[in-house]
């Protein structure tokens, strides 16, 4: 099955990898798993490790010359190679470890195809680098962002590198935010794909350059291809000088959030 993707496009490789990881995550759910401490309150489990192995198996069979950066295994291959996969086998490990199903499996080719799998709904949100879709039950449906839900996911997990000028928790107390939106905090980058799918109006997080992050790259790629507005918390393009992420279904929602963020800095 793995070798059947050797002649496929990058999007199908990303989908196959994400699905392989999602199957492991789903099958190991509910088991008593040993925690491996990473420091700073972060940890991984055997599910993280085994899911990454499954994803790498797909990528290695289909694209043996490509480099890979994995959340658990680190860098494999030259870091500056043009074709570089970013793999987060289980985003939402703390959720998963306590029996919460809000998790994601992220696979992205830098500046190319990407896939975000929900192991428990069976949905795979993906892009070929130009258009964005969700695959579920054997059918593909174009992703259409919309702010209609008024739900905004705000990442409240550390680190907070820009706390001197921006704190996500302060955004939740902004009068305009309270009037216009309803906050959510699912603590997994599955929420990024939900913005592209119209299940969320926006997503906000602090951080550095998230475009090259194994956690965020796939979700950012899917949202961009779906037509979402994606910038840093300073309004600048997401990139090497990045400052977190403000991802919105449309320009109006993005503008409203940016005005609130800027007003909290005054």
């Amino acid at each position: 099955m793995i070798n059947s993707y050797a002649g496929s496009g990058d999007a199908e490789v990303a989908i196959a990898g994400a699905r392989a990881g999602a199957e492991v995550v789903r099958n190991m759910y509910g088991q008593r798993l040993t925690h491996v401490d990473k420091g700073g309150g972060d940890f991984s489990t055997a599910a993280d490790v085994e899911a990454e192995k499954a994803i790498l198996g797909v990528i290695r069979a289909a694209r043996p010359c490509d480099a890979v950066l994995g959340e658990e295994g680190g860098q494999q291959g030259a870091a500056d190679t043009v074709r570089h996969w970013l793999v987060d086998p289980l985003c939402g490990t703390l959720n998963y470890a306590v029996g919460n199903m809000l998790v994601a499996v992220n696979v992205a080719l830098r500046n190319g195809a990407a896939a975000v799998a929900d192991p428990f709904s069976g949905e795979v949100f993906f892009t070929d680098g130009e258009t964005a879709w969700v695959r579920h039950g054997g059918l593909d449906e174009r992703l259409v962002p919309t702010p209609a839900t008024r739900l905004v996911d705000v990442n409240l997990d550390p680190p907070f590198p820009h706390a001197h000028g921006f704190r996500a928790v302060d955004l939740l107390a902004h009068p305009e935010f309270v009037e216009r939106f309803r906050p959510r905090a699912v603590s997994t980058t599955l929420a990024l794909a939900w913005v592209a799918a119209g299940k969320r109006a926006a997503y906000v997080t602090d951080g550095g350059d998230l475009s090259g992050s194994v956690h965020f790259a796939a979700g950012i790629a899917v949202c961009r291809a779906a037509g979402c507005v994606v910038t840093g918390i300073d309004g600048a393009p997401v990139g090497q000088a990045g400052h977190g992420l403000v991802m919105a279904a449309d320009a109006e929602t993005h503008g409203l959030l940016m005005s609130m963020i800027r007003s909290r800095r005054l």
Side-chain angles (χ1 to χ4, degrees):
M1 181 178 295
I2 290 175
N3 288 334
S4 67
Y5 294 100
S8 300
D10 290 329
E12 291 300 329
V13 174
I15 292 167
R19 278 182 159 174
E23 182 177 5
V24 172
V25 170
R26 187 169 53 251
N27 290 341
M28 296 185 73
Y29 179 74
Q31 297 181 21
R32 186 180 296 275
L33 301 172
T34 301
H35 294 190
V36 178
D37 185 20
K38 293 182 175 181
D42 193 14
F43 65 90
S44 65
T45 70
D48 298 70
V49 174
E50 293 304 315
E52 182 164 303
K53 288 180 181 177
I55 296 167
L56 293 183
V58 171
I59 294 174
R60 285 286 171 245
R63 303 289 188 268
C65 296
D66 290 0
V68 178
L69 174 62
E71 166 72 3
E72 305 306 324
Q75 182 66 43
Q76 300 181 39
D80 59 351
T81 187
V82 173
R83 293 186 55 85
H84 199 159
W85 294 86
L86 304 170
V87 174
D88 182 3
L90 177 50
C91 186
T93 299
L94 180 56
N95 287 347
Y96 185 80
V98 299
N100 187 313
M101 293 182 178
L102 289 173
V103 300
V105 177
N106 298 312
V107 179
L109 177 64
R110 192 188 296 272
N111 300 319
V116 178
D118 181 338
F120 298 102
S121 74
E123 295 171 306
V124 181
F125 307 89
F126 69 94
T127 176
D128 58 4
E130 297 181 1
T131 57
W133 306 76
V134 58
R135 180 170 296 179
H136 190 228
L139 299 175
D140 291 350
E141 183 178 348
R142 191 78 172 259
L143 291 176
V144 180
T146 172
T149 66
R150 298 195 300 161
L151 300 178
V152 176
D153 255 296
V154 180
N155 183 14
L156 301 178
D157 284 342
F160 307 120
H162 303 99
H164 61 283
F166 167 79
R167 293 201 314 161
V169 67
D170 291 337
L171 180 63
L172 303 184
H174 195 291
E176 287 187 66
F177 187 97
V178 174
E179 180 180 352
R180 182 71 179 246
F181 302 113
R182 292 294 178 268
R184 292 293 184 272
V186 302
S187 297
T188 171
T189 52
L190 182 61
L192 277 70
W194 286 350
V195 178
K199 298 182 180 184
R200 293 289 190 269
Y203 176 92
V204 181
T205 184
D206 196 356
D209 174 14
L210 302 182
S211 64
S213 165
V214 295
H215 306 292
F216 289 90
I220 290 173
V222 170
C223 282
R224 279 177 168 161
C228 299
V229 181
V230 182
T231 71
I233 57 175
D234 56 355
V238 177
Q240 291 184 353
H243 295 76
L245 187 65
V246 178
M247 178 179 294
D250 65 339
E252 180 183 3
T253 300
H254 183 270
L256 285 169
L257 290 169
M258 287 306 307
S259 68
M260 295 176 205
I261 290 171
R262 286 167 178 150
S263 71
R264 303 303 285 189
R265 290 175 169 173
L266 299 178

